[in-house]
Amino acid sequence: MALAWKRPSWEAWLNLLGYAIGSFRRRIGRNLALILGIASAVGWWGSVVLVSEGLRVLQDKALKEGPDLWVIQLQGGRPALIDLSWVNRFKGLLGVRRVRARVWGHLVVPALEANLVVWGEEEMSPEEADVGPGLARHLGLRPGDRLALDSAFSRAVFKVRHILSPQTSLWAHDAVIVSLEQARRLLGIPEGMASDLAIEVFPPEEIPALAREIASQVPGGRVISREDMAHLYALTLSGRVGVLGALFGPVMIALFLLAWERLTGLSLEERAEIGVLKAIGWSTAIVLQVRLLESALIAIGGTALGWLMAYVHLVVWRGAGVAPFLLGWSRLRPELWASVPIDVAPIFGWSAVWILVFVGLSLWPAWRVSMMDPNEIRKIV
Amino acid sequence: MKDRASNWHRIRRRRLLGFGVFCGVLVAEAAMWLASFQSHDLRNDARCFFHRTASTDLALSSHSRWLRHLGLAEAGAACPEGPPCIDTDPGGALLRVVRFAPEARVKRWP
């Protein structure tokens, strides 16, 4: 007669765990193969998730620090310079707290085969420049060094005042901040014009109304709100992850086959083991508990190994194979690994998915066999 | 019976010891993750850069406006890129873009 089920004590759980570990060791080859299969799938997907989620979370925070609206002048569907007279007109609108005319642009540096982003700032001295960490590293610049910038419009030599902190790398890696006049000269932006306008709005509830108002005033103007930018970043990063997810399909199929193997086929040895346990009086619940512990060991082990592989892939191998696809080609790409935070939420979320699915799938055949009469199991075996 | 019981206890102790090692590896891994976990709060340096430039664009793909200046990318434009190189994949690419400008063939600085 099967023993009646009651809540096992701590001691009983330890005994069951000891037994489950013994079962694990008896089928060590197959279990290690399962662990490696799970680890490969978790590791590959984990790398993708860590990069994209880290970037998305960080960029959401960054956008909150920036302006609420950007106004870009379009001409023939292409970005053009915007007239500074708009600044005073927008300042008069209700809800506008600050309007800044941004003077910035790209500058090709053939020697680096890279583009810099030159920013103009009012407070900067015309002889000095602040340099982004990536550019400084590529050119070996230190504060006090001289930096010559050439463009089709002008040539200027600057004294490097500061190297921007590596913590700004994600945004300022390829940046050079110079005075407004120098930026105008280098980029060929005449007085009275700017690259675009950045507008701060208060209260935030006024942003949609102001965006509509400004768009209606500027002929050919495009107004982009902070929400638009957040949406664009989410779309772009998610789109990239989606493509990688499609590539990930074969791995998923492999894992599904592994799980299917667990679902449909208990080996004769496993059936015999369950039959013996039932015959000596173990209840179905206790048999399932042992099975649950063994499956949990495999799933947790595989998932943990997978995240470890993802970590090594990102930190040691710099996300080879994943990062270029997610981030695009660039000569001056920021040191992502020093800047992007590791987001814990997707780690726990995806781990829960892997572990629960695997454990759930492996319980089903055990339950089916353990519900059978021990004599029937003996006959089958 | 007593021998069998003590033998079982010894085996169980060894298995639990193995399980303890397994848990220890998990804890070590968790500690490693936490050690590498950086606060999601932006550093003051980054905030300062945003305020100076009024820009929060990510410095990714500096050869393309994609991601670098996402808001400026013109959807459907034949050649959306400023420098003389076609932005072959507005969503980023595994391969570097083709260079057309002869001056861009200058040898890199050491």
Side-chain angles (χ1 to χ4, degrees):
Chain A
M1 197 180 101
L3 297 172
W5 186 84
K6 60 177 183 178
R7 185 185 292 278
S9 64
W10 175 242
E11 181 71 12
W13 269 109
L14 281 182
N15 281 328
L16 291 177
L17 184 62
Y19 185 84
I21 295 170
S23 297
F24 179 89
R25 287 179 57 187
R26 276 195 295 279
R27 291 180 281 276
I28 189 79
R30 198 189 67 164
N31 288 336
L32 281 183
L34 280 168
I35 284 178
L36 276 178
I38 296 171
S40 307
V42 173
W44 167 246
W45 188 239
S47 299
V48 176
V49 167
L50 287 179
V51 173
S52 62
E53 282 296 303
L55 273 180
R56 193 185 54 74
V57 168
L58 203 62
Q59 189 56 10
D60 278 351
K61 300 253 179 202
L63 280 169
K64 290 188 178 114
E65 299 287 331
D68 299 294
L69 293 171
W70 287 269
V71 183
I72 299 162
Q73 178 76 61
L74 295 183
Q75 196 170 354
R78 314 259 315 151
L81 299 177
I82 192 166
D83 201 303
L84 280 182
S85 63
W86 289 109
V87 173
N88 285 330
R89 289 195 229 177
F90 292 154
K91 274 181 182 167
L93 294 174
L94 194 67
V96 171
R97 190 162 63 176
R98 188 181 181 197
V99 183
R100 288 180 65 184
R102 302 196 305 177
V103 175
W104 67 276
H106 298 281
L107 195 67
V108 184
V109 180
L112 276 182
E113 297 175 6
N115 284 328
L116 307 182
V117 182
V118 175
W119 296 96
E121 197 200 11
E122 284 174 8
E123 282 81 24
M124 287 295 293
S125 147
E127 293 83 31
E128 291 182 324
D130 288 350
V131 179
L135 180 63
R137 203 191 61 217
H138 270 70
L139 297 180
L141 291 173
R142 287 175 298 185
D145 285 354
R146 302 184 84 75
L147 170 70
L149 290 179
D150 249 331
S151 80
F153 302 98
S154 174
R155 183 174 196 278
V157 179
F158 300 96
K159 184 180 172 193
V160 177
R161 191 181 67 159
H162 295 303
I163 307 295
L164 298 175
S165 146
Q167 302 300 335
T168 64
S169 179
L170 263 180
W171 302 274
H173 200 69
D174 52 0
V176 177
I177 304 178
V178 298
S179 69
L180 268 180
E181 312 88 77
Q182 291 283 24
R184 283 183 190 286
R185 252 181 246 138
L186 278 170
L187 302 170
I189 299 175
E191 288 290 332
M193 304 296 274
S195 305
D196 52 28
L197 304 179
I199 301 177
E200 291 173 25
V201 178
F202 189 84
E205 291 77 25
E206 293 293 326
I207 293 174
L210 266 173
R212 277 195 300 274
E213 176 66 24
I214 292 169
S216 70
Q217 286 192 21
V218 184
R222 179 161 65 166
V223 182
I224 299 170
S225 70
R226 182 193 294 161
E227 281 67 32
D228 293 337
M229 289 299 285
H231 191 58
L232 273 171
Y233 274 109
L235 272 179
T236 315
L237 289 171
S238 303
R240 294 271 105 189
V241 173
V243 174
L244 282 172
L247 295 173
F248 185 61
V251 182
M252 285 297 288
I253 291 170
L255 193 72
F256 176 75
L257 286 174
L258 273 170
W260 183 252
E261 188 267 343
R262 298 290 290 179
L263 178 68
T264 53
L266 277 185
S267 65
L268 285 179
E269 189 192 341
E270 286 171 301
R271 284 164 190 257
E273 186 181 321
I274 291 175
V276 169
L277 292 177
K278 292 280 287 186
I280 62 172
W282 284 37
S283 70
T284 302
I286 295 178
V287 170
L288 287 180
Q289 281 164 25
V290 171
R291 195 74 188 164
L292 181 132
L293 286 172
E294 190 185 342
S295 301
L297 279 177
I298 295 169
I300 293 172
T303 309
L305 184 64
W307 285 115
L308 190 67
M309 285 161 69
Y311 183 86
V312 170
H313 178 235
L314 285 182
V315 176
V316 180
W317 293 323
R318 300 284 191 261
V322 171
F325 194 74
L326 269 174
L327 312 177
W329 185 86
S330 175
R331 175 71 70 190
L332 285 174
R333 184 184 290 145
E335 282 293 326
L336 193 65
W337 332 111
S339 319
V340 173
I342 290 166
D343 196 11
V344 177
I347 295 178
F348 283 118
W350 281 102
S351 298
V353 169
W354 296 113
I355 292 169
L356 290 179
V357 166
F358 186 83
V359 171
L361 286 177
S362 63
L363 277 183
W364 163 250
W367 176 79
R368 215 174 43 181
V369 174
S370 62
M371 288 300 285
M372 294 166 73
D373 186 71
N375 279 328
E376 275 183 64
I377 301 174
R378 189 177 58 81
K379 282 175 198 167
I380 295 169
V381 173
Chain B
M1 278 301 282
K2 196 179 175 186
D3 282 349
R4 281 184 63 190
S6 63
N7 195 33
W8 166 241
H9 277 296
R10 202 169 57 246
I11 292 170
R12 204 194 71 174
R13 206 178 301 131
R14 279 172 52 191
R15 287 176 183 172
L16 290 180
L17 189 67
F19 182 69
V21 171
F22 173 73
C23 289
V25 171
L26 287 186
V27 170
E29 185 172 354
M32 186 183 71
W33 278 109
L34 287 175
S36 62
F37 174 80
Q38 294 175 27
S39 167
H40 282 189
D41 284 338
L42 295 166
R43 305 297 172 99
N44 281 336
D45 301 334
R47 283 203 182 90
C48 179
F49 178 76
F50 301 150
H51 293 158
R52 289 178 73 182
T53 60
S55 167
T56 51
D57 289 339
L58 285 172
L60 305 176
S61 293
S62 64
H63 252 69
S64 103
R65 280 198 205 125
W66 175 80
L67 280 189
R68 187 65 188 95
H69 299 290
L70 202 55
L72 293 184
E74 304 105 290
C79 183
E81 208 32 58
C85 50
I86 296 172
D87 194 358
T88 48
D89 179 3
L94 280 170
L95 302 173
R96 55 180 295 177
V97 288
V98 179
R99 285 181 285 119
F100 291 100
E103 67 272 18
R105 296 186 191 281
V106 175
K107 197 178 172 184
R108 281 191 67 194
W109 294 352

